[in-house]
Amino acid sequence: MSIQQRFEQAKQAYAEWGVDVDAALAVLNDVQISLHCWQGDDVGGFETPDSSLSGGGIQVTGNYPGKARNIDELRGDLEKAYSLIPGQHRLNLHAIYGDFEGKKIDRDQVEPKHFRSWVDWARVNGLALDFNATCFSHPLASSGYTLSNADPSVREFWVEHAKRCREIGAGFGKALKQRSNHNLWIPDGAKDNVVSRYATRERLLGSLDEIYSLQLDSRNLGDAVECKLFGIGSEAFVVGSHEFYMGYALSRKLMLCLDMGHFHPTESVADKVSSLLLYLPELLIHVSRGVRWDSDHVVTLGDDLRALMQEIVRSDALGKVNIALDYFDAEMNRVGAWVIGSRATLKAILEALLEPAVIARKYETKGQAFGRLAVLEEAKNLPLSDVWDYFCDAKGVPVGKDWIGAVEDYEKSVQSKRS
């Protein structure tokens, strides 16, 4: 049976549950996922020829061959990944990925000119750009404290860096005519218990207020702050906790960034969406997969991802939630890691859009818990894969398992030749 025939049968099956498949696909077509550049080179960046991740509460494991060694290779790998992902999406850059032309540019000296070639590349490829200050893997982050550091000169360095990064992001938005989202995450914290929690967070508050005192056009730039439960070297105390940043975002009218792997393993990020959107106009979600203490495994179509996308769709919030990937796995082909996570995320959104929520809500309104649960259970048997295959085919990307061979061919012809 052809893809089209299977799709027509699937449309009929969903229609029996009151679901308009064409309408769902029209919504999915407009969803933009922001792919994270740092998966392509294990968070190395291009500050120096031998740039590599070190310190700052994060760690990449694995040494699979073929990682991108320079901007051209990274862009080539990204182009391959985008060719295997249905839809038109975005790229999320960190500040260490500038086009520095072999020159040593410290973080407090980064300028829009260092990212001009990224804008040119994004324009050619029809992509929007997002941005992140890089407050780790630097001598002035080695103490474990950046914007909350007790040394005013260290705080000033990182404040200047973040201000410049926001200006770069605003430049992206203006040049590409799509708003750029700038996200701020810092690794600040301690391995063991500390006494001066209040004073440390008070310093962070002051640094943030200085960073966001720089007024930029909101049509070009959206600002987000990202919380975390704990990280490597900050197991006992994270300065930028969920409570801290939730209060900051609410009081300063910024986006709150929720990373799926930054909370307790039993804590549901999905359940936070509807509560926060009652008070915040927008959220930024970093889609990742936590496994025990590590938050950055390649995203797969699991229960946590399904629940998150269900809650976003059920809240009619796809237009209020910015979705970006955030993980780094050096144990597998890096292009493949991008594609797995992107396709899983899009498939979870599609599944949520195809949920017979109208019927389930009718039962819920009548107080009929049995009917609601029965509908949600039976919906699991609906032919999601046939609709997904049709969407991929319509977008000109490989259907089913065919994309796996495309990644393997790319590894053989391109990545395997990198020493």
Side-chain angles (χ1 to χ4, degrees), residues 187-307:
D188 294 34
K191 184 179 181 65
D192 215 330
N193 288 320
V194 299
V195 176
S196 304
R197 290 175 181 245
Y198 184 92
T200 308
R201 286 180 169 139
E202 190 174 39
R203 289 193 294 269
L204 174 57
L205 179 68
S207 294
L208 293 172
D209 281 347
E210 175 62 24
I211 290 167
Y212 297 110
S213 69
L214 177 64
Q215 298 295 310
L216 296 167
D217 193 334
S218 61
R219 293 171 297 181
N220 298 327
L221 185 74
D223 282 302
V225 287
E226 180 179 356
C227 57
K228 195 168 187 177
L229 177 62
F230 74 91
I232 300 171
S234 61
E235 290 86 354
F237 173 49
V238 169
V239 186
S241 65
H242 175 59
E243 293 77 11
F244 175 90
Y245 276 129
M246 183 169 67
Y248 194 81
L250 287 167
S251 61
R252 271 61 172 181
K253 296 180 173 57
L254 304 179
M255 279 187 285
L256 184 62
C257 176
L258 304 176
D259 187 301
M260 292 179 68
H262 282 193
F263 297 87
H264 191 278
T266 62
E267 193 171 3
S268 172
V269 173
D271 190 48
K272 302 179 187 302
V273 171
S274 58
S275 293
L276 289 168
L277 285 178
L278 291 171
Y279 304 99
L280 292 169
E282 285 186 77
L283 294 174
L284 174 62
I285 300 289
H286 274 188
V287 181
S288 64
R289 178 167 60 97
V291 177
R292 298 185 185 273
W293 60 269
D294 186 24
S295 65
D296 294 302
H297 287 68
V298 177
V299 168
T300 58
L301 187 60
D303 290 343
D304 288 349
L305 183 61
R306 283 186 161 109

Side-chain angles (χ1 to χ4, degrees), residues 85-134:
I85 302 165
Q88 195 67 29
H89 301 290
R90 308 171 68 90
L91 177 65
N92 204 3
L93 282 169
H94 247 286
I96 54 175
Y97 287 83
D99 193 350
F100 301 120
E101 300 179 337
K103 300 174 184 176
K104 174 60 180 176
I105 307 296
D106 212 344
R107 306 275 175 87
D108 64 342
Q109 298 299 314
V110 292
E111 299 180 52
K113 68 180 181 181
H114 299 128
F115 296 86
R116 196 167 295 141
S117 68
W118 277 112
V119 173
D120 294 339
W121 176 83
R123 186 179 287 114
V124 169
N125 287 276
L127 301 168
L129 293 176
D130 297 315
F131 204 55
N132 304 261
T134 307

